[in-house]
Short mmCIF file of all heavy atoms in Angstrom, two decimals:
data_model
loop_
_atom_site.label_atom_id
_atom_site.label_comp_id
_atom_site.label_asym_id
_atom_site.label_seq_id
_atom_site.Cartn_x
_atom_site.Cartn_y
_atom_site.Cartn_z
N MET A 234 52.46 66.96 -80.56
CA MET A 234 52.56 67.79 -81.76
C MET A 234 51.81 67.13 -82.93
O MET A 234 51.05 67.80 -83.64
CB MET A 234 54.03 68.01 -82.12
CG MET A 234 54.24 69.05 -83.21
SD MET A 234 55.99 69.21 -83.65
CE MET A 234 56.73 69.50 -82.04
N LEU A 235 52.03 65.83 -83.10
CA LEU A 235 51.36 65.10 -84.17
C LEU A 235 49.85 65.10 -83.97
O LEU A 235 49.08 65.29 -84.92
CB LEU A 235 51.90 63.66 -84.22
CG LEU A 235 51.65 62.88 -85.51
CD1 LEU A 235 52.32 63.55 -86.70
CD2 LEU A 235 52.16 61.45 -85.36
N PHE A 236 49.43 64.91 -82.73
CA PHE A 236 48.01 64.93 -82.40
C PHE A 236 47.40 66.29 -82.75
O PHE A 236 46.34 66.36 -83.37
CB PHE A 236 47.83 64.64 -80.91
CG PHE A 236 46.39 64.63 -80.44
CD1 PHE A 236 45.70 63.43 -80.34
CD2 PHE A 236 45.74 65.80 -80.09
CE1 PHE A 236 44.37 63.41 -79.92
CE2 PHE A 236 44.42 65.80 -79.67
CZ PHE A 236 43.73 64.60 -79.57
N ALA A 237 48.09 67.37 -82.37
CA ALA A 237 47.58 68.73 -82.57
C ALA A 237 47.50 69.11 -84.04
O ALA A 237 46.75 70.01 -84.41
CB ALA A 237 48.45 69.72 -81.82
N ILE A 238 48.27 68.42 -84.89
CA ILE A 238 48.23 68.69 -86.33
C ILE A 238 47.17 67.83 -87.02
O ILE A 238 46.36 68.33 -87.80
CB ILE A 238 49.61 68.42 -86.97
CG1 ILE A 238 50.64 69.45 -86.46
CG2 ILE A 238 49.52 68.49 -88.51
CD1 ILE A 238 52.07 69.12 -86.87
N LEU A 239 47.17 66.53 -86.72
CA LEU A 239 46.34 65.60 -87.47
C LEU A 239 44.88 65.57 -87.03
O LEU A 239 43.97 65.53 -87.87
CB LEU A 239 46.92 64.18 -87.38
CG LEU A 239 48.28 63.97 -88.05
CD1 LEU A 239 48.74 62.52 -87.88
CD2 LEU A 239 48.21 64.32 -89.53
N ILE A 240 44.64 65.57 -85.73
CA ILE A 240 43.27 65.43 -85.23
C ILE A 240 42.34 66.52 -85.73
O ILE A 240 41.22 66.23 -86.19
CB ILE A 240 43.24 65.32 -83.69
CG1 ILE A 240 43.85 63.99 -83.24
CG2 ILE A 240 41.83 65.47 -83.14
CD1 ILE A 240 43.13 62.75 -83.73
N PRO A 241 42.74 67.80 -85.68
CA PRO A 241 41.82 68.82 -86.20
C PRO A 241 41.53 68.67 -87.70
O PRO A 241 40.40 68.88 -88.14
CB PRO A 241 42.54 70.14 -85.91
CG PRO A 241 43.96 69.79 -85.66
CD PRO A 241 43.92 68.43 -85.07
N LEU A 242 42.55 68.29 -88.47
CA LEU A 242 42.35 68.10 -89.92
C LEU A 242 41.43 66.92 -90.18
O LEU A 242 40.58 66.97 -91.09
CB LEU A 242 43.70 67.90 -90.61
CG LEU A 242 44.65 69.11 -90.60
CD1 LEU A 242 45.99 68.74 -91.23
CD2 LEU A 242 44.03 70.30 -91.34
N ILE A 243 41.57 65.86 -89.39
CA ILE A 243 40.68 64.69 -89.53
C ILE A 243 39.26 65.06 -89.14
O ILE A 243 38.30 64.77 -89.87
CB ILE A 243 41.20 63.51 -88.67
CG1 ILE A 243 42.52 62.97 -89.24
CG2 ILE A 243 40.15 62.40 -88.59
CD1 ILE A 243 43.23 62.00 -88.32
N ASN A 244 39.12 65.71 -87.97
CA ASN A 244 37.78 66.10 -87.50
C ASN A 244 37.09 67.04 -88.48
O ASN A 244 35.92 66.85 -88.84
CB ASN A 244 37.87 66.78 -86.13
CG ASN A 244 38.23 65.82 -85.02
OD1 ASN A 244 38.10 64.60 -85.17
ND2 ASN A 244 38.67 66.35 -83.90
N GLY A 245 37.83 68.07 -88.91
CA GLY A 245 37.25 69.06 -89.82
C GLY A 245 36.85 68.47 -91.15
O GLY A 245 35.77 68.75 -91.68
N SER A 246 37.71 67.62 -91.73
CA SER A 246 37.43 67.01 -93.03
C SER A 246 36.26 66.04 -92.95
O SER A 246 35.39 66.00 -93.84
CB SER A 246 38.68 66.28 -93.55
OG SER A 246 39.75 67.18 -93.71
N PHE A 247 36.23 65.25 -91.87
CA PHE A 247 35.14 64.28 -91.70
C PHE A 247 33.79 64.97 -91.55
O PHE A 247 32.80 64.60 -92.20
CB PHE A 247 35.42 63.39 -90.48
CG PHE A 247 34.36 62.37 -90.21
CD1 PHE A 247 34.15 61.32 -91.09
CD2 PHE A 247 33.55 62.46 -89.08
CE1 PHE A 247 33.15 60.37 -90.85
CE2 PHE A 247 32.56 61.53 -88.83
CZ PHE A 247 32.35 60.48 -89.71
N ILE A 248 33.75 66.01 -90.71
CA ILE A 248 32.49 66.73 -90.49
C ILE A 248 32.11 67.54 -91.73
O ILE A 248 30.91 67.71 -92.01
CB ILE A 248 32.59 67.63 -89.25
CG1 ILE A 248 32.77 66.77 -87.99
CG2 ILE A 248 31.36 68.53 -89.09
CD1 ILE A 248 31.66 65.77 -87.74
N ALA A 249 33.09 68.02 -92.48
CA ALA A 249 32.78 68.72 -93.73
C ALA A 249 31.98 67.82 -94.67
O ALA A 249 31.06 68.27 -95.35
CB ALA A 249 34.07 69.19 -94.41
N MET A 250 32.32 66.53 -94.68
CA MET A 250 31.59 65.57 -95.51
C MET A 250 30.27 65.15 -94.86
O MET A 250 29.22 65.12 -95.50
CB MET A 250 32.46 64.34 -95.79
CG MET A 250 33.66 64.63 -96.69
SD MET A 250 34.65 63.16 -97.07
CE MET A 250 35.49 62.88 -95.51
N LEU A 251 30.33 64.83 -93.57
CA LEU A 251 29.16 64.30 -92.86
C LEU A 251 28.04 65.34 -92.74
O LEU A 251 26.86 64.99 -92.73
CB LEU A 251 29.58 63.84 -91.46
CG LEU A 251 28.56 63.02 -90.66
CD1 LEU A 251 28.26 61.70 -91.37
CD2 LEU A 251 29.07 62.77 -89.24
N SER A 252 28.40 66.62 -92.68
CA SER A 252 27.41 67.68 -92.49
C SER A 252 26.41 67.78 -93.64
O SER A 252 25.34 68.38 -93.49
CB SER A 252 28.11 69.04 -92.31
OG SER A 252 28.90 69.35 -93.44
N SER A 253 26.74 67.18 -94.79
CA SER A 253 25.83 67.23 -95.94
C SER A 253 24.52 66.49 -95.64
O SER A 253 23.51 66.73 -96.30
CB SER A 253 26.49 66.62 -97.18
OG SER A 253 26.77 65.24 -96.97
N PHE A 254 24.54 65.59 -94.64
CA PHE A 254 23.32 64.88 -94.26
C PHE A 254 22.40 65.74 -93.40
O PHE A 254 21.23 65.39 -93.19
CB PHE A 254 23.67 63.59 -93.50
CG PHE A 254 24.34 62.56 -94.36
CD1 PHE A 254 25.72 62.38 -94.30
CD2 PHE A 254 23.60 61.77 -95.24
CE1 PHE A 254 26.35 61.42 -95.10
CE2 PHE A 254 24.22 60.82 -96.04
CZ PHE A 254 25.60 60.65 -95.98
N VAL A 255 22.94 66.85 -92.87
CA VAL A 255 22.17 67.73 -91.99
C VAL A 255 21.72 68.99 -92.71
O VAL A 255 20.60 69.46 -92.54
CB VAL A 255 23.01 68.11 -90.74
CG1 VAL A 255 22.24 69.07 -89.83
CG2 VAL A 255 23.42 66.86 -89.97
N THR A 256 22.62 69.55 -93.53
CA THR A 256 22.31 70.78 -94.26
C THR A 256 23.09 70.81 -95.58
O THR A 256 24.18 70.25 -95.66
CB THR A 256 22.68 72.02 -93.42
OG1 THR A 256 22.46 73.21 -94.18
CG2 THR A 256 24.14 71.98 -92.96
N HIS A 257 22.53 71.46 -96.57
CA HIS A 257 23.22 71.60 -97.85
C HIS A 257 23.82 72.99 -98.01
O HIS A 257 24.46 73.27 -99.03
CB HIS A 257 22.25 71.31 -99.01
CG HIS A 257 21.78 69.88 -99.05
ND1 HIS A 257 22.63 68.83 -99.28
CD2 HIS A 257 20.55 69.34 -98.84
CE1 HIS A 257 21.96 67.69 -99.24
NE2 HIS A 257 20.69 67.98 -98.97
N ASP A 258 23.62 73.86 -97.02
CA ASP A 258 24.14 75.21 -97.09
C ASP A 258 25.66 75.21 -96.91
O ASP A 258 26.17 74.66 -95.91
CB ASP A 258 23.49 76.08 -96.00
CG ASP A 258 23.87 77.54 -96.13
OD1 ASP A 258 24.95 77.91 -95.62
OD2 ASP A 258 23.12 78.30 -96.74
N ILE A 259 26.39 75.80 -97.84
CA ILE A 259 27.86 75.79 -97.82
C ILE A 259 28.40 76.45 -96.57
O ILE A 259 29.33 75.94 -95.92
CB ILE A 259 28.43 76.47 -99.08
CG1 ILE A 259 28.15 75.63 -100.32
CG2 ILE A 259 29.93 76.72 -98.95
CD1 ILE A 259 28.58 76.27 -101.62
N THR A 260 27.84 77.61 -96.19
CA THR A 260 28.37 78.34 -95.02
C THR A 260 28.16 77.54 -93.74
O THR A 260 29.05 77.47 -92.89
CB THR A 260 27.70 79.72 -94.89
OG1 THR A 260 26.29 79.57 -94.77
CG2 THR A 260 27.99 80.59 -96.09
N ASN A 261 26.99 76.93 -93.59
CA ASN A 261 26.71 76.14 -92.39
C ASN A 261 27.66 74.94 -92.30
O ASN A 261 28.19 74.62 -91.23
CB ASN A 261 25.27 75.66 -92.39
CG ASN A 261 24.28 76.78 -92.20
OD1 ASN A 261 24.65 77.89 -91.80
ND2 ASN A 261 23.01 76.52 -92.48
N ARG A 262 27.87 74.27 -93.42
CA ARG A 262 28.75 73.10 -93.43
C ARG A 262 30.19 73.51 -93.11
O ARG A 262 30.91 72.80 -92.37
CB ARG A 262 28.68 72.40 -94.79
CG ARG A 262 27.34 71.71 -95.06
CD ARG A 262 27.34 71.05 -96.42
NE ARG A 262 28.35 69.99 -96.48
CZ ARG A 262 28.71 69.39 -97.61
NH1 ARG A 262 28.15 69.74 -98.77
NH2 ARG A 262 29.63 68.44 -97.60
N PHE A 263 30.61 74.64 -93.65
CA PHE A 263 31.97 75.13 -93.37
C PHE A 263 32.13 75.45 -91.89
O PHE A 263 33.15 75.09 -91.28
CB PHE A 263 32.25 76.38 -94.21
CG PHE A 263 33.61 76.98 -93.96
CD1 PHE A 263 34.75 76.36 -94.45
CD2 PHE A 263 33.74 78.15 -93.25
CE1 PHE A 263 36.01 76.91 -94.22
CE2 PHE A 263 34.98 78.71 -93.02
CZ PHE A 263 36.12 78.09 -93.50
#
Side-chain angles (χ1 to χ4, degrees):
M234 190 183 306
L235 198 61
F236 180 96
I238 293 171
L239 294 180
I240 291 299
L242 294 176
I243 292 169
N244 290 342
S246 299
F247 179 67
I248 295 302
M250 292 183 286
L251 191 64
S252 59
S253 63
F254 292 101
V255 178
T256 176
H257 294 295
D258 187 276
I259 291 176
T260 58
N261 291 346
R262 291 180 63 191
F263 178 73

